[in-house]
Amino acid sequence: MIALHICLDHNFIENSRKIFNKYYPDQNIFIVNSKKKTLNILNNSSGFQIYNLKDPSNYDAIKDLCIKNDVNNIVLHGMSSGLLPLIQYLKKSCEFKIYWIFWGYELYQLIGYEKNYKLIDSKLSFFHKESY
């Protein structure tokens, strides 16, 4: 059983990889969704593959990776609407379960800002204590 982890260049990812590899050794492939080949937050990019997952020209490479490694689980370390086309593309050729690790930004950024749901009484600001 191999899991394909889809994540961003964020500070939780290195520790997540360590934990998954500790409990599921040699069963994890980590892909970082980034437009650039260099990472800003991850200190050590070894063990991570970097793709712009919003670019459909990369879909075949991800599909081939899934087929070659017999991926049967996809773990989303955060979700954005921009990943949906990739997931739909992979579903046409691969069979897998999806697990979503919910970090919180999805609620605040996607639901709150993009969908205009009101989450707090005033506009969210990182400079106000009410935002925390």
Side-chain angles (χ1 to χ4, degrees), residues 108 112-113 117-132:
Y108 302 120
Y113 290 145
Y117 289 106
K118 194 167 184 166
L119 302 175
I120 58 176
D121 292 333
S122 60
K123 184 166 174 60
L124 183 65
S125 169
F126 295 109
F127 301 105
H128 291 97
K129 67 179 180 179
E130 293 84 17
S131 297
Y132 296 95

Side-chain angles (χ1 to χ4, degrees), residues 7-126:
C7 49
L8 298 170
D9 182 13
H10 281 212
N11 53 348
F12 297 112
I13 300 306
E14 285 182 282
N15 286 330
S16 293
R17 184 179 66 166
K18 286 178 189 175
I19 291 168
F20 275 97
N21 284 333
K22 177 180 177 180
Y23 291 101
Y24 304 99
D26 302 319
Q27 297 180 36
N28 302 286
I29 300 169
F30 278 79
I31 292 180
V32 177
N33 181 16
S34 178
K35 291 180 183 177
K36 303 180 296 182
K37 288 295 179 187
T38 58
L39 301 174
N40 295 325
I41 298 174
L42 289 170
N43 295 321
N44 182 4
S45 63
S46 67
F48 292 100
Q49 297 184 41
I50 304 168
Y51 289 95
N52 178 358
L53 300 180
K54 295 180 182 178
D55 181 354
S57 68
N58 291 317
Y59 289 6
D60 282 336
I62 304 302
K63 179 185 77 173
D64 292 345
L65 185 67
C66 289
I67 292 170
K68 176 184 168 192
N69 292 286
D70 197 24
V71 168
N72 58 354
N73 295 304
I74 292 184
V75 180
L76 302 173
H77 295 257
M79 179 59 178
S80 70
S81 57
L83 293 178
L84 184 59
L86 171 64
I87 300 299
Q88 290 171 327
Y89 178 82
L90 293 176
K91 273 292 199 187
K92 293 176 186 175
S93 305
C94 307
E95 190 173 315
F96 50 81
K97 290 183 179 180
I98 297 176
Y99 299 91
W100 176 10
I101 298 177
F102 185 84
W103 291 111
Y105 87 90
E106 296 95 334
L107 176 66
Y108 302 120
Q109 296 293 328
L110 299 178
I111 297 173
Y113 290 145
E114 289 183 15
K115 304 301 180 197
N116 294 318
Y117 289 106
K118 194 167 184 166
L119 302 175
I120 58 176
D121 292 333
S122 60
K123 184 166 174 60
L124 183 65
S125 169
F126 295 109

